[in-house]
Amino acid sequence: QVQLVESGGGLVQAGGSLRLSCAASGRTFSLYTMAWFRQAPGKERDFVAAISWSGGNTYYVDSVKGRFTISRDNAKNTMYLQMNSLKPEDTAVYRCAATTGHSSWWYGRSSADYDYWGRGTQVTVSS
């Protein structure tokens, strides 16, 4: 099992930046495919970005391409989401997720693809 804890959320003006972190427990973090999801009030949880366990493959929802960057540091058991050029529509609770047992290139876009979840960190972007 793995436990996930997010940090780095906050209030930022439109056009600003935030860096989210997801710290994982356990010795096999390097074998977990990791992802970020977000959920705005009254809306469903949406896929944002994912990174394969090898770190060699990254995937993004179209609305964040070119603005967000997902990365991981397996030595620190930590995944990151660098968010630049933030927009009010990026406002949501951001949660990290993990799963294992897949190919080095694999990722999932559905919440059901992931077995472990953090509690989330609030990101609020003011206009």
Side-chain angles (χ1 to χ4, degrees):
Q1 282 195 348
V2 62
Q3 292 184 329
L4 305 174
V5 179
E6 303 94 337
S7 62
L11 173 63
V12 64
Q13 289 187 333
S17 298
L18 284 173
R19 188 195 196 200
L20 304 184
S21 298
C22 174
S25 65
R27 297 179 295 174
T28 58
F29 173 77
S30 61
L31 297 180
Y32 283 83
T33 301
M34 304 293 296
W36 289 98
F37 287 76
R38 64 186 180 187
Q39 188 167 15
K43 295 187 177 181
E44 295 184 351
R45 185 184 304 164
D46 291 329
F47 170 81
V48 177
I51 186 166
S52 61
W53 59 258
S54 69
N57 300 88
T58 57
Y59 309 90
Y60 301 91
V61 67
D62 286 346
S63 61
V64 308
K65 284 181 180 178
R67 300 190 298 123
F68 291 10
T69 303
I70 190 172
S71 62
R72 65 191 299 162
D73 185 338
N74 287 341
K76 295 183 178 180
N77 279 15
T78 303
M79 174 182 65
Y80 305 98
L81 186 67
Q82 178 66 44
M83 305 187 295
N84 299 329
S85 302
L86 282 161
K87 303 175 180 180
E89 51 263 43
D90 294 318
T91 295
V93 174
Y94 284 71
R95 299 180 69 183
C96 63
T99 188
T100 191
H102 299 280
S103 301
S104 61
W105 52 264
W106 181 91
Y107 82 106
R109 299 178 68 95
S110 169
S111 297
D113 292 326
Y114 295 88
D115 303 304
Y116 306 101
W117 293 84
R119 292 189 174 187
T121 185
Q122 176 70 47
V123 171
T124 303
V125 184
S126 63
S127 57

